[in-house]
Amino acid sequence: MINYFKYIGKYFIMLKEVFKRPQKGSIFRESIFKEIEDLGINSIGIVAFISFFVGGVVVIQTALNLDNPITPKYLIGYASRESLILEFSPTLISIILAGKVGSYITSSIGTMRVTEQIDALEVMGINSLNYLVLPKIIANVFFYPFVIIISIWLGIFGGWVAGNLTGLVSSADYIMGIRSEFEPFHLVYSMIKTSVFAFVIATIPAYQGFYVKGGAIEVGKASTRAVVWTSIVIIVLNYFLTQMLLGK
Amino acid sequence: MIEVRNLNKEFDGVQVLKGIDATFENGKTSLVIGTSGSGKTVFLKCLLGLIQPEKGDIIYDGQIYNEMSNNEKRDLKKDIGMVFQGSALFDSSTVEENVMFPLKMFTNQPYEEKLERVNFVLDRVNLQNANKKFPAELSGGMQKRVAIARAIVMNPKYLFCDEPNSGLDPKTSTVIDNLIQEITKEYNITTIINSHDMNSVMEIGEKIILLKHGVKEWEGTNDEVFKTDNESLVDFVYSSNLFKKVREAQLRQDNSGS
């Protein structure tokens, strides 16, 4: 148990180093754009694919569970929209990104550690944590909300396609459902969650990679640990954020 | 000049460096030798500030490292060049980007000036037409040359090399050794090399320090290596059959001469 407190303490000490003023603005900006491409733009494909099909599955399952003739069909669209905005896109996609992006961050930083590239930065007088991790945090926190908006949109679109192809819900009913009783705060809640999860996806894997010791096998183990812990922290934070932001 | 006074370092209760004193002069190539696990790399990392020693002082041209402010330490590091054992090149950057990195980070020179300097140092290490190659596309010797070019691109006052010949064939090792020595003389750099390569000791070791189990066992020049009676150094040097034969031949020659 005492070890967990040690890790948490070390994580916050790492964050203190990360959030120092970057040594050179032009290099920092360059790094942010590179990270946006590596961590954000390169994730859009998988996010789009998963969101489209899961949107379809959500509509089919909701339609099959709302088979009472009294229940209006537009509720299928409404329920699908709400589940995509509130939970599926911000949380499930974040867990998928914890796997894809988290393992990438840990293995790239971990490899730099075991091949002494981080030592090379330190010897030059560069704050390696700030140089390597801060651009990743900024890229994640500011770009992931866009990824999640794409996910929500494609999920809803996938639902519409599935509803039409299966004949479970008409286009008119579905569109009416997704437009009815829209609560803008739910979108705000979704974006807040996304930004918090994006921070976690950047920092926990960076921590695991930065402090890795050994060689290739240890980097692999650190990547696995990073994905596991990032997913756990996302699930726990999801509960507390929901309680704080939506709980009465 | 770098002075080391009573340097001590331990890991988990195991004393790795035990009260080391040493002086490294400008314009000289000093070698720290010893078997694997003797504390050479820890010693070098302490000098570089990558590891904090428990006790002792490291003095860079009269300034005690531990008493420097963070800004002073950062300024000092601009005067330090380091060649790592595995080269430690940034593998997602080209040769040109690797060598230009310190210039981009610490100077405001226009791109053309930086490129000119990069080409100059790459030329100095005899590496032409490799600017756009990635480290994975280079041989071990070429990677070491890129690492040396990156280390000297900022005109450092101090150059550290951690086993620069490891993994290289004898011919390439000699080329790298000579290159380091030439650069040391040319720019009057204080150069410290960690090595267990006896060829380097004989070729470029103007000052040699032997570490054994974290203790400084012996200090002298490469001329003195063959004449010493220090048991640890004799053990270390003549663990190689080649050097054993060289010593026997030399002893025979001395005996016949006297």
Side-chain angles (χ1 to χ4, degrees):
Chain A
M1 191 64 192
I2 201 90
N3 270 343
Y4 286 114
F5 286 112
K6 257 169 52 181
Y7 296 142
I8 292 167
K10 206 169 158 188
Y11 171 78
F12 283 105
I13 291 169
M14 177 193 87
L15 289 184
K16 198 178 139 217
E17 281 300 309
V18 168
F19 284 103
K20 283 192 173 160
R21 192 163 173 251
Q23 275 161 291
K24 192 140 190 203
S26 57
I27 291 189
F28 181 60
R29 279 193 296 276
E30 212 175 279
S31 303
I32 290 174
F33 286 116
K34 190 183 164 296
E35 299 298 352
I36 286 176
E37 188 187 343
D38 287 348
L39 310 179
I41 293 171
N42 288 347
S43 303
I44 289 176
I46 183 81
V47 169
F49 181 77
I50 293 171
S51 303
F52 180 81
F53 281 96
V54 172
V57 170
V58 168
V59 164
I60 293 169
Q61 287 182 349
T62 310
L64 292 174
N65 282 290
L66 290 177
D67 56 354
N68 190 324
I70 306 167
T71 313
K73 288 282 185 196
Y74 80 88
L75 280 183
I76 296 167
Y78 170 78
S80 304
R81 184 201 70 203
E82 286 300 289
S83 57
L84 284 162
I85 291 177
L86 291 173
E87 209 51 42
F88 169 71
S89 287
T91 310
L92 200 65
I93 291 291
S94 292
I95 288 172
I96 288 161
L97 290 177
K100 184 191 176 286
V101 174
S103 59
Y104 168 77
I105 292 175
T106 305
S107 53
S108 59
I109 296 180
T111 305
M112 285 188 80
R113 166 62 77 198
V114 301
T115 56
E116 295 180 310
Q117 292 176 51
I118 289 178
D119 285 345
L121 289 170
E122 294 285 338
V123 168
M124 288 178 205
I126 294 165
N127 176 347
S128 54
L129 274 169
N130 173 273
Y131 174 75
L132 293 171
V133 184
L134 190 57
K136 288 180 173 57
I137 294 175
I138 292 178
N140 266 15
V141 169
F142 289 99
F143 194 75
Y144 276 0
F146 292 105
V147 175
I148 297 305
I149 285 168
I150 292 170
S151 162
I152 293 169
W153 192 89
L154 280 169
I156 290 172
F157 177 65
W160 176 78
V161 171
N164 275 304
L165 287 178
T166 55
L168 286 167
V169 55
S170 70
S171 186
D173 281 340
Y174 186 76
I175 290 167
M176 187 184 162
I178 61 173
R179 294 178 69 181
S180 66
E181 293 174 60
F182 177 64
E183 177 63 69
F185 183 71
H186 286 179
L187 207 53
V188 174
Y189 156 79
S190 178
M191 293 302 110
I192 292 172
K193 274 206 318 190
T194 301
S195 297
V196 173
F197 297 160
F199 181 83
V200 171
I201 292 169
T203 53
I204 292 180
Y207 170 88
Q208 292 290 349
F210 194 82
Y211 294 108
V212 75
K213 278 183 188 155
I217 289 177
E218 282 75 16
V219 172
K221 284 179 184 169
S223 292
T224 309
R225 256 196 324 270
V227 175
V228 170
W229 278 107
T230 308
S231 305
I232 290 171
V233 171
I234 285 174
I235 296 291
V236 173
L237 285 176
N238 185 38
Y239 172 79
F240 285 108
L241 284 169
T242 306
Q243 178 69 29
M244 274 165 62
L245 297 168
L246 296 182
K248 299 280 182 209
Chain B
M1 190 168 80
I2 301 172
E3 288 170 78
V4 178
R5 286 190 204 144
N6 191 28
L7 196 68
N8 286 272
K9 177 69 197 167
E10 65 167 62
F11 291 107
D12 302 325
V14 179
Q15 194 84 13
V16 180
L17 297 177
K18 298 167 189 165
I20 294 179
D21 293 294
T23 304
F24 303 99
E25 289 159 43
N26 292 358
K28 278 194 177 174
T29 312
S30 305
L31 266 80
V32 180
I33 60 170
T35 51
S36 300
S38 58
K40 299 190 301 287
T41 301
V42 175
F43 177 67
L44 205 68
K45 287 191 171 178
C46 285
L47 296 189
L48 289 163
L50 291 174
I51 293 176
Q52 185 66 33
E54 265 80 41
K55 218 164 76 178
D57 289 322
I58 297 154
I59 305 160
Y60 282 87
D61 287 322
Q63 276 191 296
I64 299 174
Y65 184 81
N66 277 343
E67 291 175 5
M68 289 181 192
S69 66
N70 284 342
N71 284 343
E72 284 172 331
K73 281 181 185 169
R74 207 173 300 140
D75 287 341
L76 170 74
K77 285 185 174 181
K78 287 176 200 163
D79 288 330
I80 291 177
M82 171 76 191
V83 178
F84 285 88
Q85 191 173 354
S87 299
L89 299 175
F90 305 128
D91 40 24
S92 54
S93 304
T94 62
V95 166
E96 187 178 290
E97 288 163 347
N98 263 286
V99 180
M100 200 182 277
F101 183 78
L103 295 171
K104 272 174 79 178
M105 207 67 197
F106 298 112
T107 72
N108 290 316
Q109 293 171 355
Y111 176 77
E112 290 71 27
E113 259 179 57
K114 282 186 277 206
L115 187 61
E116 198 182 322
R117 175 73 186 150
V118 168
N119 287 333
F120 173 78
V121 289
L122 283 175
D123 200 43
R124 183 65 196 82
V125 298
N126 300 319
L127 200 67
Q128 294 89 5
N129 306 321
N131 287 40
K132 300 296 172 198
K133 287 190 174 163
F134 284 90
E137 298 172 302
L138 304 174
S139 67
M142 286 163 97
Q143 287 184 12
K144 285 277 156 62
R145 284 192 233 176
V146 178
I148 293 171
R150 186 177 68 182
I152 62 169
V153 76
M154 292 283 286
N155 269 329
K157 283 158 79 176
Y158 317 100
L159 179 64
F160 297 87
C161 306
D162 190 11
E163 305 200 8
N165 296 333
S166 73
L168 300 181
D169 63 87
K171 201 175 168 187
T172 314
S173 295
T174 308
V175 171
I176 296 291
D177 281 343
N178 291 337
L179 183 62
I180 292 171
Q181 196 176 36
E182 281 164 27
I183 287 165
T184 302
K185 299 286 173 212
E186 206 172 308
Y187 302 108
N188 198 31
I189 300 173
T190 306
T191 298
I192 303 173
I193 302 174
N194 262 0
S195 184
H196 47 219
D197 181 1
M198 280 313 295
N199 287 321
S200 303
V201 171
M202 300 320 295
E203 286 276 336
I204 58 168
E206 291 171 276
K207 176 176 189 166
I208 294 147
I209 287 174
L210 173 74
L211 291 188
K212 189 180 177 188
H213 305 310
V215 176
K216 187 173 88 176
E217 275 280 328
W218 185 85
E219 185 177 340
T221 64
N222 53 2
D223 291 335
E224 291 165 350
V225 167
F226 283 121
K227 294 167 190 161
T228 182
D229 292 328
N230 182 291
E231 215 172 285
S232 303
L233 186 65
V234 170
D235 268 359
F236 178 77
V237 174
Y238 303 111
S239 54
S240 142
N241 279 335
L242 174 68
F243 280 93
K244 233 179 250 173
K245 283 175 185 161
V246 171
R247 181 175 165 90
E248 281 162 10
Q250 194 161 20
L251 287 174
R252 270 199 304 273
Q253 203 178 359
D254 289 351
N255 289 338
S256 63
S258 61

